[in-house]
Amino acid sequence: MKKFLINTFLFSLIFLILNQLPAPFLGPYYGNPYYCEKYKYFTNNHDKFNTVIFGTSRLYREMVPKIFDSLLKEYQTSTFNLAAPAVSHPEAYYLYERLLETVETNSLKYSFIELAAPHNSRFENLNTTENHYWHNLKYLNFLIKYTFDSDLSSRRKIRLIHSYIVGYVNKAINLFGYKKLFNSKFYKMDFCLGENKDGFYSLEEQMRDFGVGSNAGRRFTSFLKDTTVLDEKISIANKAFSLKTNKQFINEAHLIKLIELIEKSKQKGIHLIFVMPPGMYDYHEVLAIKERLPSNHIIEIANPKIYPELYQVNFQFDIDHLNKKGAVIFTEYLANEFKKYF
Amino acid sequence: MLFNSIDFAIFLPIVFFLYWFVINKNLKAQNILLIVASYIFYGWWDWRFLSLLICSSFVDYIVGIGLSKTDKKQTRKLLLLTSIFVNLGLLGFFKYYNFFLETFVEAFSFFGHSINPHGLNIVLPIGISFYTFQTLSYSIDVYKRKFEPTKDIFAFFAFVSFFPQLVAGPIERAKNLLPQFYKKRVFEYDKAIDGMRQILWGLFKKIVIADNCAIYVNDIFENYFSCSGSTLLLGAILFSFQIYGDFSGYSDIAIGASRLFGFRLKRNFAYPFFSRDMSEFWRKWHISLFSWFRDFIFVPLGGRFSKPWIRVRNIFIVFILSGLWHGAAWTFIIWGILNAICIVPDILRNKRRQGTKIVAEGRLLPKPKELFQMLTTFLIFSFTLVIFRSESIYDSIQYIRRIFSISLFSLPEVFPKNVIVLIALFILAEWLQRDKQHALQFDDVALPIIVRWGLYYGIIWTVFYFGGHQQKFIYFQF
């Protein structure tokens, strides 16, 4: 037994050491090639921009910097869209915090971060590199506190916490380090910056560039086959917006995190605004949080009764994203709401 | 809990530590630990179905005790029927209820009658086909007085629920596994190390071979109507490797994990792709299931020494039941019938290869005739699998029809170079080690530690490089 234990220990130790070798070559954002590319461009050109957008593929595909800046000429905004596909919600906070800590942000005046509940990520995605490359103890702590504070069932809470811990261990051991290192050499990602090099790249453009057989194309054709799913999206949103209990339940951990981000931004002279775009998920937690955030730090553009166009088939690319026309409308709403506060 | 998950990577060392270091002096405590660990392992998926496992274990334990206490033929028969009724009842309800209901509805509608019964939304409990067969074999063996029933309830419950083989086999027989729970287990370095190697090889088969084939197979089978004949042929071949890598990979991990706890499980696969005919193939594929059918169906119906037509009938019965065991659908039944048809000529000619004798033994390369036979057997198996994998019989007929079109001679639309290279390396490794229990068995070769460890690290990184998209084991659904 002694020999077995010593050999197993040595074998594992060498394995762990060898696994750490690719880490220095991976860079901090290796799990999200879209963000890597956008971040690289932004850091090389950060003087040109005073407004940044963080969030998931929703804001990436729906917030058009060119339109936004043209509508806010009096504010002289110059916007870069740093939102990226497959970004989860606490990940967006992490990316923003890291940006504040590592990049010269003197020129930044406004930041927008998409607001949604962290537990809206799919279970099957939680253990992927994309979902744990950004894990650290601070964020693991936040995720656990957030999950405890949420009104999810105990079973779901346990499953989520378990997935977060497994993700953290995965990241610490760097199990997929070599895979990411070799694969990153084959990607050319500059397309994701878009034609105007402002970080906006619509799904139509992606389908045009990569064909109908691409992921974007498949999403589009699948949505066209059955657009009735949009009714379900509207119904979920209507239900959440009509609930009176919205104001009663608060996820304290989430609220504290958002206020912490607002304060951090203030210290850097940046006004941080959280944005709620239309999405196919349960809004009730974030709607309650919205009520508790200072009103000039939150813009909600998701209520189907106020923004019915954003739920119309002709402005949708797929169930989760607006098309280019829809994105223009969404951006106009965002700019108008912004004007109300400043 | 899946073998190819981080959960299991954490679970296994914890159980191992408790087993060998905390309660190693007490056999009963070790068995209780194995029961608790097995229930956690099973309940990780859905704890509610633990009740079925406990029910099946309890009934067969009581039946065993009852059989040991009586010599009355009538009572013994009644006890056996209780075991059969409970085990097959559970299996029948959870696995076949909706299938038989739909079949009845279709049969009635064929004769012009329309009935509208209530179908149930039944979830199939993982591994139910495996553990019910295992407990059933215990009761039958005890009934036939081939095996002394146990009074040790912990040993029996541990035998039924033993986590390495609980959800996808090998289906163990009481006479092989149960006595191992009575004896004090001794840790043996060589066996434990070999077990670790077998686990590693199983993970390679599952994650590198099966899961990578699955990506292309799923795509081809879902869109077969728009694929060329050559692509469809490639899809069928890749599915053969997928199902082999998936299922034999699971068996390897199960056998390897058992060895870490001092147990020896039955071999479930003996390099079936190196078989020279279909009857040899079926003696090397899912050995534990087919030996179960042989002992409890084929032999009682007359066995090898009955008249040829009786043997043919029995072969059909065994393969139809085997098809039905795999799934409650007509595709599986037809698949079983096709395999029986493939074996019948060997039965009628009374041609039977001895045991599972290794092909080209003592030689590096097979003879051209052997190579031809192996390729033919593999292709026949791949064709039968098209029916196994298809959603319906109609789809499978269309799939095979499309293979034999002019587009069979065109280049496939998809050509997964990486996967083909990996499969080639995999076949090479299995061919070179075909006289061993698994491809990483190095008992008689004194390789320097740097070579061995280098090989293990290489395989581990290959697993992580090509892995990442965790897929469930196919045989979980059976």
Side-chain angles (χ1 to χ4, degrees), chain A residues 6-21 178, chain B residues 449 453-454 457 461:
Chain A
I6 292 170
N7 278 353
T8 309
F9 174 76
L10 280 176
F11 187 84
S12 308
L13 187 70
I14 295 170
F15 179 69
L16 291 177
I17 293 168
L18 292 174
N19 261 353
Q20 296 307 319
L21 294 181
Y178 286 100
Chain B
I449 190 166
W453 284 28
Y457 285 130
W461 282 318

Side-chain angles (χ1 to χ4, degrees), chain B residues 266-294:
Chain B
K266 261 187 192 171
R267 193 179 191 188
N268 216 14
F269 289 85
Y271 306 105
F273 287 167
F274 304 141
S275 304
R276 287 150 290 184
D277 57 45
M278 285 303 280
S279 52
E280 184 185 8
F281 181 91
W282 282 113
R283 282 196 301 279
K284 292 181 168 182
W285 178 280
H286 203 172
I287 297 166
S288 64
L289 178 71
F290 282 89
S291 63
W292 197 101
F293 278 122
R294 183 196 60 212

Side-chain angles (χ1 to χ4, degrees), chain A residues 283-331:
Chain A
Y283 290 99
H284 78 278
E285 264 196 41
V286 279
L287 279 174
I289 282 202
K290 181 197 152 197
E291 302 298 324
R292 293 274 292 270
L293 284 173
S295 61
N296 61 339
H297 286 281
I298 174 86
I299 294 176
E300 172 259 304
I301 310 172
N303 192 337
K305 294 210 166 106
I306 302 171
Y307 309 103
E309 308 96 307
L310 302 181
Y311 291 88
Q312 283 173 10
V313 176
N314 50 330
F315 295 124
Q316 298 285 325
F317 181 85
D318 61 22
I319 188 61
D320 284 322
H321 308 95
L322 297 169
N323 60 21
K324 211 168 175 179
K325 280 184 199 162
V328 171
I329 297 171
F330 175 82
T331 310

